[in-house]
Amino acid sequence: MATNENLQTPRVSVAFIGSECYPFVKTGGLGDVMYALPRALTKQNCDVKVILPRYHIIAQKYQEKMIYKGSFSMNLCADGREYYVGIMEMEMDGVVYDFIDNDDFFSWGNPYTDLVTDIPKYCYFDKAALAALNFLDWIPDIIHCHDWQAGLIPVYLRTVFAGTPVGRAKSMITIHNLRFQGIYNIPTIRYWSNLPGWVFEYGMLKHGWEDANMFKGGLTFADSITTVSNTYAGEIQTEFYGEGLDAHLRYHAGKLHGIVNGIDVDIWNSRTDKLLAENYSEKDVLKKKKANKKALQERLGLEVDDGKILIGLVSRLTNQKGLDLVSSIFPELIDGNTQVVILGTGDAQYEDAFRYYENVNKGTVSAYIAYDESLAHLIYAGADALLVPSLFEPCGLTQLIAMRYGTIPIVRETGGLKDTVLPYNEYTDTGNGFTFDRYEAGLLLDAIIRAKTVYFTERDRWNEIVVRDMEKDVSWDQSASQYRDLYLQLRG
Ligand code: ADP
């Protein structure tokens, strides 16, 4: 509910543009943010429209709710090829979703396939999204773009669309993950985007000797850049984390801000979550979490034993996520008192390593190689601790969800993990989890051993952390109001 105080402040209109959004299509944290942040903003006197591709893989139950709002033809490529742009609309909880419809680009496969397909797809999407705003005559104060797939929007806004109504809007681009940038040779991106030649110069889209970089273009032309935690905002200006754009980001540091992500506390709510064996709050977590642990052990064929510490990991299985560290200490993890549950899909080397560890530790280790929302919920509720030892982590949502479910995170101090998980301090009895700093397997093992020591020898203290974590504010409220303040500053 909007409070009176909020209603007295000016209303701001924002168009969110990005490539995925829960519940329509989600491959990672971007999908969560595209869902939860607009909802949080509508509670703070913002008008929000979310513009997405109408992928064929969006479930039928949502496709059926979409209403045709109109269509037009748009020239895209350098040779003037025309493409159909359809606009399908639906509303959900005060947020309007407009889906850009075009079978040439969105009718097959996953949202992301390979750059040969994705570069034309998102050139089309970026231009069509702006053209759709003009077509609908809905000119927002702010156009808020997300990741490289929406990278050309700030560029289009200040070039091809500069003299059109939508050109009045200010633009913000959010870096959810700098690793992916949409880099391809200049002639291809120039052909598909039909942007003027001068934007392919150094300091703008040009990357290296002969490539163009869509994300870099967005960072250059956007009026404001945000990223999803304060620490990551600093890290990406260094060579190690900068993915080749650190100098560019240092140059644009004046318009770069870090705002930490939250989670949707209605979806991630242990009191009401229907996917749990038993619901609980911070008042009865110590009793009722056990039922979820038992259900998880049963579901995965682990030995049903409340006396073991159950450590979970829910993650894309890629090298970003610190899995080299996990697989190298795996043998030392298994000590007769520990169970490990891994849920994820990704690179074959990690999938195979974890399958192997499951095979040699039947009943103690489960490697569930899949994307499975319902199992994820049960792991967050049933595990005692959750591992997030990432090499880099812009924000990370799994540690936030874990804390909300009274599951203690064990994390590396990087990016948003550092900003959201305060290290446990046994002397002051403060902190939310167990942390380590350098990317070294021995340090991860040490953090796990510290966690196990508290779990097995000082259970009262462990339980205090559980309750403290559940009480921590991981909602979007504060961060949404920071975004709102930035929107107001930008609008001027
Ligand atoms: P990233 O965006 O880098 O993948 P985040 O921590 O920001 O990482 O977000 C991950 C999101 O995806 C969380 O909501 C997490 O629960 C979910 N997730 C990751 N892997 C799986 C999986 N195998 N099954 C179900 N949910 C998953």
Side-chain angles (χ1 to χ4, degrees):
M1 280 286 290
T3 63
N4 286 339
E5 190 191 335
N6 281 331
L7 289 173
Q8 280 158 16
T9 57
R11 197 158 172 83
V12 190
S13 53
V14 192
F16 267 60
I17 306 181
S19 57
E20 60 179 87
C21 178
Y22 176 88
F24 312 111
V25 57
K26 165 179 157 182
T27 70
L30 170 63
D32 288 304
V33 176
M34 291 286 291
Y35 169 78
L37 179 54
R39 291 164 72 93
L41 285 166
T42 57
K43 292 180 191 154
Q44 302 200 11
N45 208 21
C46 294
D47 244 338
V48 192
K49 214 184 233 314
V50 180
I51 305 185
L52 299 163
R54 185 193 182 191
Y55 301 111
H56 193 67
I57 50 162
I58 294 174
Q60 190 60 25
K61 64 176 176 185
Y62 300 118
Q63 304 267 9
E64 281 164 7
K65 290 198 183 118
M66 297 177 189
I67 295 165
Y68 173 78
K69 292 293 283 187
S71 63
F72 54 92
S73 144
M74 174 185 83
N75 73 322
L76 180 68
C77 312
D79 56 14
R81 257 159 86 184
E82 298 265 325
Y83 283 88
Y84 169 84
V85 180
I87 306 170
M88 304 293 289
E89 192 169 281
M90 68 177 276
E91 197 190 317
M92 207 167 60
D93 305 323
V95 179
V96 175
Y97 296 87
D98 279 323
F99 295 86
I100 302 295
D101 187 24
N102 181 301
D103 278 356
D104 290 341
F105 296 107
F106 305 134
S107 68
W108 51 278
N110 290 321
Y112 317 122
T113 38
D114 49 53
L115 283 178
V116 175
T117 327
D118 290 352
I119 294 282
K121 185 192 295 178
Y122 293 110
C123 286
Y124 163 83
F125 173 64
D126 288 3
K127 191 168 184 187
L130 292 179
L133 287 171
N134 275 340
F135 177 85
L136 295 169
D137 195 19
W138 196 82
I139 309 304
D141 298 314
I142 309 292
I143 296 188
H144 189 162
C145 320
H146 300 266
D147 270 354
W148 79 263
Q149 294 89 348
L152 289 191
I153 285 176
V155 191
Y156 274 128
L157 208 57
R158 298 290 167 253
T159 54
V160 177
F161 285 84
T164 73
V166 78
R168 292 201 302 269
K170 293 288 195 308
S171 66
M172 174 185 284
I173 189 160
T174 296
I175 303 169
H176 295 264
N177 193 334
L178 195 59
R179 173 147 289 183
F180 309 104
Q181 298 176 7
I183 301 173
Y184 215 71
N185 63 57
I186 290 176
T188 303
I189 293 187
R190 197 169 165 185
Y191 169 77
W192 279 102
S193 67
N194 198 22
L195 281 162
W198 60 269
V199 306
F200 293 92
E201 294 301 326
Y202 281 115
M204 289 179 267
L205 267 82
K206 191 164 184 177
H207 185 90
W209 293 107
E210 48 203 23
D211 285 333
N213 180 332
M214 287 174 55
F215 213 170
K216 190 176 176 189
L219 299 170
T220 311
F221 283 86
D223 298 302
S224 176
I225 305 172
T226 67
T227 188
V228 291
S229 68
N230 237 327
T231 296
Y232 194 59
E235 285 173 344
I236 53 179
Q237 297 179 52
T238 68
E239 196 181 342
F240 183 79
Y241 293 98
E243 305 285 350
L245 288 183
D246 46 302
H248 193 67
L249 285 161
R250 286 196 298 276
Y251 181 81
H252 287 287
K255 60 175 182 182
L256 170 64
H257 309 266
I259 302 180
V260 76
N261 284 339
I263 54 172
D264 188 290
V265 289
D266 295 329
I267 292 184
W268 301 107
N269 185 346
S270 58
R271 294 166 193 79
T272 54
D273 189 334
K274 291 197 174 57
L275 299 167
L276 306 194
E278 204 160 324
N279 290 115
Y280 57 92
S281 70
E282 61 279 5
K283 301 221 163 52
D284 54 11
V285 52
L286 303 175
K287 243 183 13 231
K288 295 201 172 156
K289 209 170 189 304
K290 288 192 172 91
N292 291 295
K293 184 168 177 177
K294 181 162 176 279
L296 181 61
Q297 288 168 329
E298 281 169 356
R299 177 154 167 194
L300 296 175
L302 297 178
E303 191 189 335
V304 176
D305 182 353
D306 184 46
K308 304 237 158 106
I309 183 168
L310 202 163
I311 301 178
L313 189 150
V314 179
S315 180
R316 288 185 293 116
L317 302 181
T318 67
N319 95 319
Q320 173 193 338
K321 298 294 181 178
L323 303 166
D324 297 310
L325 302 188
V326 179
S327 62
S328 70
I329 61 158
F330 220 99
E332 281 128 302
L333 260 183
I334 305 306
D335 57 4
N337 297 314
T338 309
Q339 294 180 336
V340 182
V341 169
I342 289 161
L343 170 65
T345 52
D347 297 353
Q349 72 183 100
Y350 302 119
E351 294 186 349
D352 292 345
F354 294 133
R355 279 197 190 103
Y356 166 80
Y357 286 124
E358 174 184 283
N359 275 330
V360 294
N361 296 287
K362 283 272 181 228
T364 301
V365 173
S366 169
Y368 201 94
I369 306 300
Y371 187 93
D372 188 321
E373 285 275 343
S374 80
L375 183 58
H377 283 246
L378 194 57
I379 294 174
Y380 291 124
D384 296 298
L386 190 93
L387 278 187
V388 201
S390 307
L391 175 62
F392 69 96
E393 194 59 76
C395 178
L397 298 177
T398 62
Q399 83 281 10
L400 300 179
I401 303 169
M403 288 192 279
R404 174 113 174 112
Y405 280 63
T407 298
I408 295 181
I410 301 174
V411 308
R412 187 165 101 79
E413 291 166 18
T414 184
L417 299 170
K418 185 170 179 181
D419 294 356
T420 57
V421 181
L422 198 70
Y424 171 62
N425 181 328
E426 64 193 271
Y427 302 106
T428 54
D429 233 339
T430 52
N432 314 106
F434 297 85
T435 71
F436 64 103
D437 54 7
R438 288 191 312 283
Y439 191 74
E440 283 175 23
L443 296 184
L444 167 63
L445 187 61
D446 177 65
I448 296 173
I449 290 171
R450 277 185 277 127
K452 282 187 188 176
T453 307
V454 177
Y455 184 83
F456 286 113
T457 66
E458 296 180 284
R459 187 62 67 89
D460 288 350
R461 286 180 162 224
W462 179 274
N463 290 343
E464 278 169 24
I465 310 175
V466 168
V467 174
R468 189 152 62 232
D469 283 0
M470 287 192 77
E471 286 171 344
K472 186 177 162 72
D473 181 7
V474 290
S475 76
W476 266 106
D477 294 349
Q478 285 214 7
S479 301
S481 100
Q482 287 177 29
Y483 274 109
R484 190 174 187 289
D485 290 346
L486 267 184
Y487 296 154
L488 282 170
Q489 266 177 38
L490 271 183
R491 187 173 73 170

